[in-house]
Amino acid sequence: MDRSEIAFFDVETTVPKRGERFAILEFGSILVCPKKLTELQSYTTLVQPADLSLISTLSVRCNGISRNDVVLAPLFSDIADTVYDILHGRIWAGHNILRFDCARIREAFAEIGRQPPEPKGAIDSLALLTQRFGRRAGDMKMATLASYFGLGKQTHRSLDDVRMNLEVLKYCATVLFLESSLPDELLDESVSPSETTSLRRHLRASSSGVDNTVITPFSLPSIGENSVAQPDPFNMSFLRNEMASDNNLQLDTLMEEEEEEETQPSDTVVVYANTSDHEGFLSPDAISLPNIRAVLVPFYHGSQLMRLKLLHGDSPLQLYCSCLKIRFGISGKFLDNSGRRRLNFVVDLNPRLCSILEACDSNAQKVSVDSGSSSDWNTVVSPVKGFVNCPNARIHIPTEISGDAARYAIEVHQRESGGDTQKLIFSNPSAEELESLLKQGSVVDAFLSLEPYDYQQKAGVRLVAKKLVMHS
């Protein structure tokens, strides 16, 4: 079944008091052709919450949906099949959906004891437009963007909001397309240099041979030796690829599966592996601080959107850190763009590792500021309140999508007291399985990549675990 359409959707909910949960009051969606950006199908319905008392006066002020409006509406369980059919296996799109709407959908399905729909990708227009269009329109709320383009007042009703969202994206894409053709002297008079000209400057630098090394996180199929791919600025599938961040949101889901993992049986198995091979990963003692540098590279071959990359010399900087003590075990308060919990844990740092991470921070922040970013910088090294000389850092567990399935993309090994290493392989490790392994006080060897990000006015360097070796 062809599910190439983009599912723009929005939910209106109650405004919970402390200790209360959200309740969906309305669901609205449109299916959009990714090539023409035309609406193909729409669906909307009010939803009766199981507890009508959750609809407070504040809730009514926010979206205008009262108890009387939903008293005869279907329960979520009554519309679950329709919502699942609209969303499952499609690209999801919406404004701030990664932080809000995706979570509400998963919660609603969990409450009725059903598996939620899974996307094959996600476009959060709040993140996308903040990064690509800048804050020239103000606070980037949908109402503000609609007012900026003269599209009328936001109604805070689901179907109206998703249609307005699509129109805002069209307007922004048109402006960016036109600006890409303007001479700099005209562009500088109409647009803040920090919003657009820095990107053009880096593109020119790349084409003139300055910093033109392209490091791609994945390979793309060849399109012919003499042809050059020209992205269509009105193609939403292109915008989806451009949107990658927390810059981390994108790279987690685009990583290729390693060949070894593809050949494993689907059941949980245990094999023995040699973990002495640290090719591509440097121990802290092998790092020369002056050789750490940050450069701007395209997200992928042919992309106009640039991202930061940390290098040691001319190679991607990856660390092998042995004997890290876990200070705080697995935490997962936020969701990734597949709707799964974004897992991380905190480790203590020794002085040498601290100096390396601080050098990475310094280099990446300088290039970020020079490129025109105005985002607040989050340092990778954090002191622990109440502890003297005990800095720490957060390590993230990546996720990746293969087809319609999302999984935590991490290898976990166990080092025995005799030095032998077991490699623990799960076909789809759950958060609970990872929580049982990565406990407070445990000691772990970590193979880490360092991934700069700039997302929703927050920037920094993220430590991402590729492989972990637990000490027994």
Side-chain angles (χ1 to χ4, degrees), residues 300-403:
Y300 59 88
H301 181 67
S303 171
Q304 294 184 350
L305 184 61
M306 311 297 282
R307 66 183 175 93
L308 275 172
K309 185 79 173 178
L310 280 165
L311 305 178
H312 185 255
D314 294 324
S315 301
L317 178 56
Q318 300 184 104
L319 295 175
Y320 166 67
C321 305
S322 62
C323 300
L324 297 175
K325 184 177 180 180
I326 298 177
R327 174 164 292 277
F328 301 114
I330 286 288
S331 172
K333 294 187 295 183
F334 301 106
L335 301 179
D336 62 21
N337 57 342
S338 67
R340 298 190 67 173
R341 291 171 60 198
R342 187 176 293 281
L343 303 182
N344 58 76
F345 61 99
V346 176
V347 298
D348 291 336
L349 303 176
N350 60 47
R352 176 61 182 169
L353 187 51
C354 268
S355 64
I356 292 171
L357 296 180
E358 287 169 350
C360 292
D361 252 339
S362 176
N363 282 273
Q365 185 177 16
K366 183 179 185 303
V367 174
S368 177
V369 172
D370 289 346
S371 71
S373 173
S374 59
S375 298
D376 296 330
W377 190 266
N378 298 322
T379 59
V380 66
V381 177
S382 302
V384 177
K385 294 181 180 179
F387 293 85
V388 179
N389 298 324
C390 190
N392 65 80
R394 191 175 301 276
I395 295 176
H396 298 263
I397 305 293
T399 60
E400 67 181 13
I401 294 178
S402 178

Side-chain angles (χ1 to χ4, degrees), residues 59 77 118 125 149 172 334 390 413 416:
S59 174
S77 58
E118 296 290 349
S125 57
F149 289 114
C172 289
F334 301 106
C390 190
H413 302 241
E416 305 296 342

Side-chain angles (χ1 to χ4, degrees), residues 190-244:
S190 59
V191 182
S192 168
S194 64
E195 292 171 341
T196 305
T197 55
S198 61
L199 174 61
R200 291 158 62 97
R201 183 170 64 248
H202 293 304
L203 289 172
R204 287 201 183 98
S206 177
S207 63
S208 63
V210 180
D211 239 358
N212 61 352
T213 302
V214 177
I215 302 171
T216 58
F218 57 99
S219 59
L220 293 174
S222 172
I223 57 173
E225 292 182 3
N226 299 319
S227 61
V228 178
Q230 296 296 331
D232 177 1
F234 297 99
N235 187 330
M236 288 299 294
S237 61
F238 169 72
L239 290 179
R240 175 171 63 87
N241 289 330
E242 292 274 286
M243 177 203 136

